[in-house]
Amino acid sequence: MFEVAPLGGSETRPGFRWALREATRGAHQAIHELPPFRELLQGRLDKPRYGRVVAALHDFHGSTEGIQTCADQSLDYDDPDFDGRARRALIELDLAALGLPAISCRAVLEADTRPGWNIGFSYVVRGSSVGGQVIYAALDALFGAKKDGRRFFRGPVGQGQRWTEFCARLERLDRNKLIEDATEGAAAAFGHFRTCMEGRCLR
């Protein structure tokens, strides 16, 4: 379904978030098709392999905190429960529950000089956190009713509302000025996530 923002009267156009999502649809789908995620949703992922997925998430989120901070500053958005440090803390709790060390994150990425690029990257990171609710439910096969080991995927209370607020800020941006840079940033986020996965659990 199209997300639209009013231009005046009854005229509408696709929104900023819609344009960003459509431009990166292929890269997004490719992540869903990675073997560990297919195995997880099919109930075939064992705990050792799941632990490597969590380690890859630690690499990804820990190495992109600076980008998140710059994006939030550009959007005048401040939510300490939903920033990079908060996500990394949850992942480290999960690693500890799985008996794994929180190894230093690989290849920390620097924020770009273009605000739109950082915002596009942040869009992917925040969206992945919200989408974790599906994975959290699928992990019943490994954890039963226990939360330990999968707290990151559950996320903080009110995460859905915070995502809505974040997306509302995207719709206030100048699409003509920023969408190209934002698309590049979003594509870079998907690419970096795949690199982190390849380093931990796609070998």
Side-chain angles (χ1 to χ4, degrees), residues 11-71:
E11 186 180 8
T12 59
R13 66 174 171 82
F16 192 97
R17 180 189 170 198
W18 177 87
L20 195 53
R21 184 179 62 201
E22 290 302 301
T24 57
R25 184 180 294 276
H28 189 181
Q29 185 59 37
I31 295 299
H32 283 275
E33 293 173 358
L34 292 177
F37 293 115
R38 288 205 313 268
E39 293 167 14
L40 191 156
L41 294 175
Q42 294 168 358
R44 298 188 293 110
L45 191 70
D46 60 22
K47 276 193 177 180
R49 189 158 167 79
Y50 169 69
R52 293 194 289 274
V53 170
V54 177
L57 289 168
H58 187 256
D59 285 345
F60 177 71
H61 288 280
S63 64
T64 60
E65 289 176 13
I67 298 173
Q68 288 289 287
T69 298
C70 287

Side-chain angles (χ1 to χ4, degrees), residues 5-6 10 17-19 21 26 42 44 47 55 61 66 69 74 76 79 89 93 104-105 118-119 139 150 182 194:
S10 60
R17 180 189 170 198
W18 177 87
R21 184 179 62 201
Q42 294 168 358
R44 298 188 293 110
K47 276 193 177 180
H61 288 280
T69 298
S74 296
D76 192 22
D79 184 356
L93 286 175
S104 297
C105 300
N118 297 322
I119 289 168
L139 286 168
R150 54 172 173 168
R194 188 180 186 98

